[in-house]
């Protein structure tokens, strides 16, 4: 009996001593109040504050059970990763396009059920999102995009002129692929945050994978080309493609691109097709944006459900 008592006392002592070992985030855990997001409707800001700010801003509220060792190290790790991917504390220093891109990133995380984490909402039920919350953010981003129609006229020059001009390689060495225009269109998307219409093309390897239902993971050799045009809105409410904005490529090669989640990333912007990125590590931005889709091989695109796509 005495031995059992000593063991219990010993375990309790170790637990108490462990509380002296805490992550740096907890040593400076005084939550810094983040200003209400400027330019965002109050109801939208409230959704973000309730469901996102604990992990995605300096306004972190540590509850008593969050502070216990070793739980606090797990919480601190989530906070570090969360702020690295998305930090609303930087809101006031960002231009409007980057603010909207941040909101779009948050919306993607919500739609893919990556944000907020289920392990977090289990202990913080107030942070749970319902469909009304998601629809509210989606509607705000859509209205923001449509309230700023493109001022340029429809122009497909950027997508076509590459055949008569020399296009520089991406900073990570990936070459521009002009033949993407001969590939199959496999999906379309709209970006609410920046008012663009996008068409995603897939090379023959991608089309074959879609036909065979082998898209998670996508096979080596898969290449996507995502083209974007400014979204124009006619007086009758119709929406059509305006000025060419950019083309992005995702190239699957697990060995060659092992350091970037098995994908090579590249982007060329504007009619002059200028390669995006100042250093070879620019693609870390791409990975960060696509991280919510890591369970789907880092691919946002949901291809058309066309069984005979590769025969057309």
């Amino acid at each position: 009996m005495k031995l059992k008592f000593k063991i219990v006392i010993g375990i309790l002592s170790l637990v108490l001593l462990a509380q002296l070992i805490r992550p740096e985030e907890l040593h400076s855990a005084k939550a810094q109040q983040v200003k209400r997001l400027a330019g965002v409707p109050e109801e939208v800001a409230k959704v973000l504050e309730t469901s996102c700010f604990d992990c995605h801003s300096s306004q972190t509220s540590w509850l008593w059970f969050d502070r216990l060792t070793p739980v606090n190290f797990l919480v601190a790790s989530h906070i570090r990763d969360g702020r690295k991917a998305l930090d609303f504390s930087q809101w006031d220093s960002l231009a409007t396009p980057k603010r909207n891109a941040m909101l779009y990133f948050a919306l993607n995380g919500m739609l893919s059920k990556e944000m907020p984490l289920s392990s977090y909402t289990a202990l913080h039920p107030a942070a749970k999102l319902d469909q009304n919350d998601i629809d509210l953010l989606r509607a705000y981003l859509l209205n923001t995009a449509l309230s700023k129609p493109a001022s340029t006229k429809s122009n497909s020059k950027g997508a076509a002129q590459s055949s008569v001009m020399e296009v520089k390689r991406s900073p990570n060495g990936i070459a521009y692929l002009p033949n993407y225009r001969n590939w199959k269109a496999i999906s379309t998307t709209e970006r609410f945050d920046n008012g663009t219409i996008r068409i995603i093309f897939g090379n023959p390897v991608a089309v074959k994978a879609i036909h065979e239902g082998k898209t998670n993971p996508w096979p080596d050799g898969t290449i996507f080309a995502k083209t974007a045009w400014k979204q124009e809105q006619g007086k009758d409410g119709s929406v059509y493609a305006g000025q060419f904005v950019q083309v992005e490529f995702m190239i699957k090669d697990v060995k060659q691109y092992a350091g970037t989640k098995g994908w090579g990333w590249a982007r060329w912007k504007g009619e002059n097709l200028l390669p995006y990125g100042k250093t070879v590590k620019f693609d870390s931005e791409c990975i960060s944006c696509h991280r919510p889709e890591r369970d789907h091989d880092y691919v946002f695109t949901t291809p058309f459900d066309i069984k005979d796509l590769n025969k057309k």
Side-chain angles (χ1 to χ4, degrees), residues 184-195:
K184 302 292 184 182
I186 62 171
S187 189
T188 61
T189 62
E190 290 183 64
R191 278 285 297 267
F192 303 122
D193 63 308
N194 58 21

Side-chain angles (χ1 to χ4, degrees), residues 107-247:
L107 177 61
N108 277 334
M110 295 173 186
L111 292 173
S112 62
K113 301 188 184 303
E114 294 284 341
M115 292 170 51
L117 294 172
S118 57
S119 57
Y120 174 78
T121 55
L123 297 175
H124 304 78
K128 288 184 178 179
L129 292 162
D130 59 28
Q131 192 58 46
N132 289 334
D133 296 327
I134 296 174
D135 289 344
L136 185 66
L137 179 56
R138 191 206 304 264
Y140 168 68
L141 288 172
L142 178 59
N143 290 335
T144 298
L146 293 180
S147 66
K148 298 179 180 179
S151 60
T152 54
K153 296 181 179 180
S154 179
N155 188 342
S156 60
K157 180 181 177 182
Q161 68 175 10
S162 60
S163 60
V164 294
M165 64 181 290
E166 182 179 351
V167 181
K168 293 182 179 179
R169 287 177 175 266
S170 174
N172 56 7
I174 293 177
Y176 178 75
L177 303 173
N179 291 334
Y180 76 84
R181 296 187 302 277
N182 298 322
W183 298 348
K184 302 292 184 182
I186 62 171
S187 189
T188 61
T189 62
E190 290 183 64
R191 278 285 297 267
F192 303 122
D193 63 308
N194 58 21
T196 57
I197 295 175
R198 302 182 174 213
I199 299 176
I200 297 91
F201 297 90
N203 72 341
V205 176
V207 172
K208 184 174 184 290
I210 295 169
H211 178 68
E212 296 176 350
K214 299 178 179 179
T215 60
N216 193 19
W218 291 85
D220 272 13
T222 294
I223 306 178
F224 302 121
K226 181 187 292 184
T227 55
W229 288 267
K230 274 293 183 181
Q231 178 175 284
E232 297 273 15
Q233 186 175 24
K235 294 181 179 180
D236 60 353
S238 61
V239 175
Y240 58 92
Q243 184 181 34
F244 176 78
V245 176
Q246 64 184 27
V247 58

Side-chain angles (χ1 to χ4, degrees), residues 6 13 29 50 64 79 87 152 167 184 234 243 245 247 280 309:
K6 289 181 179 180
S13 298
T50 302
W64 68 268
I79 292 173
D87 189 351
T152 54
V167 181
K184 302 292 184 182
Q243 184 181 34
V245 176
V247 58
V280 295
L309 186 62

Side-chain angles (χ1 to χ4, degrees), residues 32-50 53 57-59 88-93 99 102-103 136 140:
Q32 301 176 24
Q33 188 70 25
V34 177
K35 295 179 181 178
R36 177 59 58 85
L37 301 181
V40 177
E42 183 176 353
E43 61 273 18
V44 175
K46 186 175 180 180
V47 170
L48 296 170
E49 290 170 10
T50 302
F53 272 31
S57 80
S58 58
Q59 186 176 308
F88 284 103
S89 302
Q90 301 175 3
W91 184 266
D92 286 344
S93 65
R99 289 179 177 181
M102 182 180 286
L103 294 180
L136 185 66
Y140 168 68

Side-chain angles (χ1 to χ4, degrees), residues 259-273:
T260 50
K261 309 303 181 184
W263 291 94
W265 316 76
R267 178 189 304 168
W268 283 266
K269 297 180 69 68
E271 296 176 2
N272 293 326
L273 295 172

Side-chain angles (χ1 to χ4, degrees), residues 72-100:
N72 49 28
F73 281 92
L74 178 62
V75 174
S77 175
H78 286 327
I79 292 173
R80 282 194 297 271
D81 291 343
R83 290 178 184 172
K84 184 177 180 180
L86 184 68
D87 189 351
F88 284 103
S89 302
Q90 301 175 3
W91 184 266
D92 286 344
S93 65
L94 300 177
T96 298
K98 289 191 175 181
R99 289 179 177 181
N100 288 339

